[in-house]
Amino acid sequence: MSDMSNHPKASKKAVLHRMVMPHHICPYGLKARHLLERAGYEVEDHHLTTRQETDAFKALHGVATTPQVFIGGERIGGYDDLRRFLGKRVADPKATSYRPVIALFAMTALMALAASHAATGSALTMRAGEWFVGFSMIVLALLKLQNVETFATMFLNYDLLAKRWVPYGYVYPFAEGLAGVLMVAGVATWLSVPIALFIGTVGVVSVFKAVYVDRRELKCACVGGSSNVPLGFVSLTENLMMIAMAVWMAVGAFG
């Protein structure tokens, strides 16, 4: 692949080969065409309509995947290669990212504000703060429950109780979700408070030991088992939120 400087955009013509079959249209082919058109290229769009035609195209050009983009008679490559050619960022699936956590807490905060406004006519209430923590616990549990097996495996890397009693890793997301639901509903405080206090305290101690004492670099299982969120501040925040919410509700109920 040549450098972008060798292909002045003045030509603005590109040839795209992509799979368009009766039961499958390659999504990256559509994204590549859209990207080229946004960049101002006139796209000569060639469809590979059968598996045999696709395999023959790959063999001819010595490539393993489609789509393939050609500009100025030279092969640029697939969708990621096209993004690089156009000077756009290509996401690294293994790179550390806080985006899932930011998105989660932003949406649960908005949910809490919306619920508070619907219930009381005002978004900024103490109940909104309580709902924010409760909603966050529920959504965090939901993400873990999408694949409990993967979560439990990641959890074993650092949780002190799970290392001593493996089933705890499978129980944890259900307990977190139950506590969150009860806190949002404002019922069964006698149950939600002990659950949140227990799992939150174990979590804080486990994360603190793994990250700040043992200095281990691990992925956090807090948003499920497939994330690239580093273990540390985020997981500590999750557990401290549960502890704070449990104490707050206990004071309100029994104080």
Side-chain angles (χ1 to χ4, degrees), residues 133 197 239-249:
V133 177
L197 276 176
N239 289 291
L240 288 171
M241 282 173 58
M242 283 192 282
I243 293 173
M245 183 67 169
V247 172
W248 172 262
M249 295 195 73

Side-chain angles (χ1 to χ4, degrees), residues 100-102 104-105 108 132-147 151 172-174 176-177 180 220-225 229 234-235 237-239 241-242:
V101 179
I102 294 171
L104 186 152
F105 286 127
T108 53
F132 166 62
V133 177
F135 288 151
S136 297
M137 290 170 63
I138 293 168
V139 176
L140 285 164
L142 172 64
L143 292 173
K144 297 176 179 73
L145 289 169
Q146 289 183 106
N147 192 329
F151 163 75
Y172 183 96
F174 292 96
E176 182 179 35
C220 180
C222 53
V223 289
V229 177
V234 173
S235 189
T237 300
E238 174 190 7
N239 289 291
M241 282 173 58
M242 283 192 282

Side-chain angles (χ1 to χ4, degrees), residues 129-242:
E130 295 173 355
W131 279 335
F132 166 62
V133 177
F135 288 151
S136 297
M137 290 170 63
I138 293 168
V139 176
L140 285 164
L142 172 64
L143 292 173
K144 297 176 179 73
L145 289 169
Q146 289 183 106
N147 192 329
V148 179
E149 190 68 41
T150 303
F151 163 75
T153 301
M154 286 184 67
F155 200 51
L156 282 168
N157 281 318
Y158 59 87
D159 190 83
L160 297 175
L161 179 55
K163 287 180 177 181
R164 297 179 68 88
W165 187 57
V166 172
Y168 179 62
Y170 297 90
V171 171
Y172 183 96
F174 292 96
E176 182 179 35
L178 174 62
V181 169
L182 294 177
M183 287 176 170
V184 169
V187 299
T189 304
W190 59 270
L191 179 59
S192 64
V193 166
I195 291 175
L197 276 176
F198 180 79
I199 64 177
T201 301
V202 173
V204 166
V205 174
S206 297
V207 173
F208 187 85
K209 181 179 185 302
V211 176
Y212 301 105
V213 177
D214 299 338
R215 302 289 182 180
R216 299 175 65 198
E217 295 184 2
L218 299 169
K219 290 181 181 179
C220 180
C222 53
V223 289
S226 59
S227 72
N228 289 323
V229 177
L231 182 68
F233 174 76
V234 173
S235 189
L236 276 177
T237 300
E238 174 190 7
N239 289 291
L240 288 171
M241 282 173 58
M242 283 192 282

Side-chain angles (χ1 to χ4, degrees), residues 59-92:
L60 176 63
H61 294 280
V63 296
T65 61
T66 60
Q68 291 292 320
V69 176
F70 296 79
I71 296 177
E74 196 166 333
R75 186 175 70 86
I76 302 302
Y79 176 71
D80 285 348
D81 297 314
L82 176 61
R83 289 189 64 87
R84 294 187 187 96
F85 177 84
L86 295 175
K88 298 184 179 294
R89 186 178 68 87
V90 176
D92 180 358

Side-chain angles (χ1 to χ4, degrees), residues 38-58:
R38 283 190 59 188
Y41 283 87
E42 178 185 340
V43 181
E44 185 179 315
D45 194 0
H46 293 271
H47 294 179
L48 302 169
T49 58
T50 66
R51 176 57 61 185
Q52 293 77 12
E53 187 178 1
T54 302
D55 290 342
F57 172 84
K58 291 178 182 177

